[in-house]
Amino acid sequence: MLSTKPYLLRAIYEWCVDQGFTPYLQVAVDARTRVPREHVRDGQIVLNVSPEATSQLLIGNDEISFQARFNGSAFPILIPVDTVAAIYARENGQGMAFEVIPAGEGEALAEDEDVAPPFSAKPDVEPDEPPPAGGGRSHLKVVK
């Protein structure tokens, strides 16, 4: 049986876009994840996946792929669906959190392992910007 996770990701993404919100993905980075390495913090990265910030976005059942601009250059992003920790609207923090399935044996990201070629400047899209303070509890729901 297929996981509900990719279907929920697509639904929350569509809701964010329909509401005029900016959808953000929080991803646990492992050896399978292809993102600019210098933007990974504590083994995670937060990415703006709005239509304005991405090109060729595809939220498939197994992986999410798109092009994003970092330092003015297009960069191919590849995210296994099982590494997505949350999807939420930047403006109000509403969205959904997910259980992250750990990488298989030997797939854990080593500290010195390069996942992608490094860039020296900040991205055109601010991936690490936290959601605004909503005063209290998070709106995210953990799905197992």
Side-chain angles (χ1 to χ4, degrees), residues 65-136:
S65 63
F66 57 93
Q67 297 273 331
R69 297 191 76 71
F70 292 85
N71 193 28
S73 299
F75 187 89
I77 304 291
L78 181 66
I79 301 165
V81 167
D82 59 3
T83 64
V84 175
I87 184 169
Y88 60 93
R90 180 192 66 172
E91 292 77 5
N92 62 12
Q94 290 188 353
M96 190 171 285
F98 301 93
E99 180 179 14
V100 174
I101 299 170
E105 186 69 31
E107 290 186 87
L109 182 63
E111 284 299 316
D112 60 346
E113 180 179 351
D114 281 335
V115 173
F119 293 98
S120 60
K122 294 184 81 167
D124 295 336
V125 177
E126 289 294 329
D128 293 320
E129 182 180 320

Side-chain angles (χ1 to χ4, degrees), residues 10-96:
R10 287 188 288 266
I12 299 291
Y13 174 84
E14 187 175 323
W15 173 81
C16 284
V17 172
D18 286 352
Q19 297 300 310
F21 295 146
T22 308
Y24 273 23
L25 279 181
Q26 180 180 350
V27 179
V29 176
D30 67 13
R32 303 167 297 158
T33 311
R34 301 291 175 238
V35 297
R37 185 77 169 104
E38 66 278 7
H39 298 291
V40 175
R41 304 280 184 268
D42 299 321
Q44 297 196 3
I45 189 168
V46 176
L47 297 165
N48 175 345
V49 290
S50 69
E52 296 80 21
T54 63
S55 175
Q56 302 172 354
L57 175 67
L58 176 61
I59 303 175
N61 288 342
D62 296 319
E63 60 191 25
I64 299 168
S65 63
F66 57 93
Q67 297 273 331
R69 297 191 76 71
F70 292 85
N71 193 28
S73 299
F75 187 89
I77 304 291
L78 181 66
I79 301 165
V81 167
D82 59 3
T83 64
V84 175
I87 184 169
Y88 60 93
R90 180 192 66 172
E91 292 77 5
N92 62 12
Q94 290 188 353
M96 190 171 285

